Amino acid sequence: MPSKKRRRKEERPKIHPKNKYSDNPPDFALLASLYPTFKPFVFYTREGRPRIDWTDFNATRELTRVLLLHDHNLHWWIPHGQLCPTVPNRSNYIHWIEDLLSSHIIPRDNTNGGNVRGFDIGTGANCIYPLLGASLFGWSFVASDMTDVAIEWAERNVKNNPNISELIEIRKVKCSQNTLSPEGLSGESSYSEEREGLPSSSLDISASEDKSYYGPAILVDVVRDGETFDFCMCNPPFFESFEEAGLNPKTSCGGTYEEMVCPGGEKAFITRIIEDSVVLKQSFRWYTSMVGRKVNLKFLVSKLREVGVTVVKTTEFVQGKTFRWGLAWSFVPPAKKIVTPHVTEKNILSFMLEGIQRQFGAIHVLQSVESFFLAGGASCKLNASSFVVDITASADHCNALLNNDVKYIDEVASCSNVQEAPSNLCFRILVFQQIPGTLLVKGSLQHRDSALSGLFSSIIQQLEASLRQKFCKEKTGTNYI
């Protein structure tokens, strides 16, 4: 049992490999010796290890300042109480955006003269994503926000870095009559941008009764006519109330009401981004957002299936013990290309089937797995005693499986572009009983060098959708990440 726990722990995702801090985490002792203003915040454990007090806003703000200066040559500051970003975590998101853009899954149209142009939703006073994107990759940005304080300090942070200042435009979002602040929700007074106090108790009532978003404009009415972007990104308000935002006593990264709270939380906010993307469609190559709760990620992926996007991508951001998820989607038709070896990143993929109806067990799911692939013409060998099905599928078989009411893809548009592939796709499906009503389905790629290996992820997603529809009580959402 202990060995299993250790093995499971080792398999957890790590910080992005291109992240500057992947192999070299911040050296507090070195930074303290180089920057006198940081030194008072550093203390040493009995073992002699340098530490800072993560519950001290001044300490976390100073750490962010010196990291941006030391590692990125960026001059930066925010006033007390504004959201203070952690540089390694935000760098993860930026590098994932770079991965999406360089993957060429979605073709470029050269509308912006070959230059990458991004849109940062709710940039905050810190303006961290445009600063990192411009300094690391030379990207240009439109960075939006609604409060005077955020706009003022974002502009200051841009102007204090003249080498990249021409790349970043700070855009003020106009607040409509439907925009509700803490006091607006309580009915006491009209909207005030400078107010950062706690919301009244009526906020929780409103949030519980109506989970839809009714705040300021996000993309629609902020993006101008004729504008096109390569991507948008967002660190959304994760919480439904200010009280909920303060439940973690181990850190203090600040954050105003507008930065942290939204009626309906991140689920409502990102749902509005999805709704805006349906309107704007191909004005963006990629729509993306950070997600704080995995349960919301499952709901949002299901929502994207409903609106008919062409591509969905997800990832996990890791910084220490903090986990966040990234969600990306597009309405642009994917580029058609011959799938080459090593396209797929994982040779083992799994998902959970929860809420399985009582009359069904692992053997029924196993038999359904076999039937699913046989229907596509693939060769199957079922071993009931080991709960295993071995599958061999040609390009034509993959084509049949993926074009069976496919609504979105993860790597390629269809299998029609790999019909000339010389080798078959061989993989194994195992079904494990977890607890009553819950099964784990695991797929393992047998020959990773196959020219069809890039289709493995999409086929497993199709299989999951089929099994979930047949066996699970809840037929929306997904456990596949």
Side-chain angles (χ1 to χ4, degrees):
M1 184 65 71
S3 62
K4 289 184 178 180
K5 288 185 177 180
R6 283 196 298 270
R7 184 162 59 250
R8 192 158 48 239
K9 186 176 182 180
E10 290 171 358
E11 291 173 354
R12 294 296 290 176
K14 297 180 179 179
I15 194 169
H16 195 288
K18 294 180 183 178
N19 194 318
K20 183 184 291 286
Y21 308 100
S22 176
D23 297 320
N24 300 291
D27 186 335
F28 293 166
L30 175 63
L31 293 172
S33 68
L34 295 175
Y35 301 94
T37 54
F38 182 60
K39 186 174 181 179
F41 299 106
V42 178
F43 63 92
Y44 293 83
T45 65
R46 292 179 180 178
E47 295 78 19
R49 296 177 181 176
R51 294 284 187 267
I52 68 168
D53 181 2
W54 292 101
T55 65
D56 182 352
F57 174 81
N58 291 321
T60 57
R61 176 175 58 176
E62 186 62 16
L63 173 61
T64 296
R65 187 189 76 81
V66 298
L67 285 178
L68 289 173
L69 181 59
H70 184 76
D71 294 325
H72 302 278
N73 196 30
L74 291 170
H75 298 275
W76 176 92
W77 192 248
I78 55 171
H80 189 84
Q82 298 291 310
L83 183 64
C84 181
T86 53
V87 179
N89 180 278
R90 299 306 197 267
S91 298
N92 278 340
Y93 193 175
I94 285 287
H95 284 293
W96 184 55
I97 294 288
E98 186 204 12
D99 288 345
L100 292 173
L101 297 177
S102 62
S103 69
H104 302 299
I105 299 171
I106 300 300
R108 296 207 61 184
D109 58 11
N110 295 320
T111 303
N112 298 315
N115 299 318
V116 173
R117 191 176 189 220
F119 191 105
D120 183 22
I121 300 170
T123 196
N126 60 74
C127 197
I128 187 69
Y129 290 130
L131 292 173
L132 286 175
S135 64
L136 287 171
F137 304 115
W139 297 342
S140 65
F141 278 85
V142 170
S144 69
D145 214 294
M146 56 178 275
T147 71
D148 288 338
V149 174
I151 294 295
E152 176 189 350
W153 281 90
E155 288 178 342
R156 284 193 192 186
N157 283 318
V158 171
K159 290 178 182 178
N160 286 337
N161 296 280
N163 57 317
I164 59 172
S165 60
E166 293 185 359
L167 296 174
I168 304 172
E169 173 196 342
I170 306 300
R171 186 174 296 181
K172 178 73 178 289
V173 176
K174 295 180 180 180
C175 299
S176 66
Q177 294 180 348
N178 292 330
T179 301
L180 298 179
S181 64
E183 63 270 28
L185 285 164
S186 63
E188 294 174 1
S189 62
S190 60
Y191 174 77
S192 171
E193 291 177 342
E194 298 179 357
R195 169 98 176 181
E196 296 178 8
L198 293 174
S200 69
S201 59
S202 63
L203 171 61
D204 296 323
I205 298 173
S206 300
S208 63
E209 290 178 350
D210 184 3
K211 298 292 184 180
S212 60
Y213 176 81
Y214 48 90
I218 296 179
L219 287 176
V220 173
D221 295 331
V222 181
V223 174
R224 294 168 183 164
D225 291 344
E227 281 190 316
T228 59
F229 296 87
D230 292 283
F231 66 91
C232 70
M233 60 192 311
C234 179
N235 192 53
F238 291 130
F239 307 103
E240 295 190 49
S241 71
F242 218 61
E243 291 86 353
E244 182 187 5
L247 291 179
N248 185 359
K250 297 181 180 179
T251 60
S252 178
C253 294
T256 65
Y257 176 86
E258 291 82 2
E259 291 174 305
M260 305 287 285
V261 177
C262 165
E266 66 176 10
K267 183 176 177 181
F269 194 91
I270 301 171
T271 296
R272 173 53 65 89
I273 298 178
I274 294 173
E275 292 169 352
D276 282 2
S277 74
V278 173
V279 176
L280 296 171
K281 294 278 186 175
Q282 298 184 26
S283 298
F284 291 78
R285 286 175 64 202
W286 287 102
Y287 297 88
T288 79
S289 180
M290 190 179 289
V291 183
R293 294 179 177 177
K294 194 170 184 178
V295 65
N296 289 337
L297 182 65
K298 298 170 186 177
F299 168 85
L300 295 166
V301 169
S302 178
K303 185 74 175 177
L304 288 169
R305 290 179 176 178
E306 294 176 7
V307 300
V309 300
T310 58
V311 179
V312 175
K313 298 286 285 183
T314 61
T315 193
E316 190 167 17
F317 303 122
V318 181
Q319 184 202 350
K321 296 181 179 180
T322 300
F323 292 85
R324 294 285 184 266
W325 290 267
L327 176 64
W329 66 95
S330 181
F331 289 92
V332 179
K336 291 188 176 182
K337 59 183 179 180
I338 295 178
V339 179
T340 57
H342 311 299
V343 171
T344 185
E345 296 178 357
K346 298 179 180 179
N347 60 359
I348 297 178
L349 295 170
S350 61
F351 56 87
M352 300 288 290
L353 291 177
E354 299 173 305
I356 295 177
Q357 301 175 58
R358 287 185 178 182
Q359 65 268 36
F360 298 121
I363 189 62
H364 299 99
V365 173
L366 190 71
Q367 291 169 345
S368 186
V369 169
E370 181 187 36
S371 298
F372 174 83
F373 289 107
L374 287 175
S379 172
C380 298
K381 183 178 179 181
L382 186 148
N383 187 329
S385 61
S386 300
F387 289 90
V388 169
V389 181
D390 288 309
I391 299 104
T392 301
S394 67
D396 287 336
H397 301 149
C398 293
N399 189 50
L401 291 166
L402 290 179
N403 285 296
N404 182 21
D405 194 28
V406 176
K407 293 192 176 180
Y408 76 99
I409 64 164
D410 194 12
E411 287 291 348
V412 292
S414 73
C415 197
S416 59
N417 50 354
V418 294
Q419 289 180 351
E420 299 177 3
S423 59
N424 293 327
L425 184 66
C426 300
F427 53 97
R428 170 173 289 181
I429 302 294
L430 300 92
V431 178
F432 301 90
Q433 179 85 38
Q434 297 292 98
I435 58 175
T438 301
L439 295 175
L440 173 66
V441 181
K442 179 183 291 186
S444 57
L445 194 60
Q446 302 297 295
H447 302 293
R448 187 166 181 150
D449 58 350
S450 167
L452 299 174
S453 61
L455 302 176
F456 181 54
S457 174
S458 297
I459 289 174
I460 295 299
Q461 290 184 51
Q462 283 290 90
L463 172 64
E464 185 212 1
S466 174
L467 296 178
R468 189 174 300 283
Q469 184 178 16
K470 186 172 183 179
F471 294 107
C472 297
K473 296 176 182 176
E474 288 186 83
K475 304 204 176 165
T476 60
T478 179
N479 285 316
Y480 177 81
I481 305 299

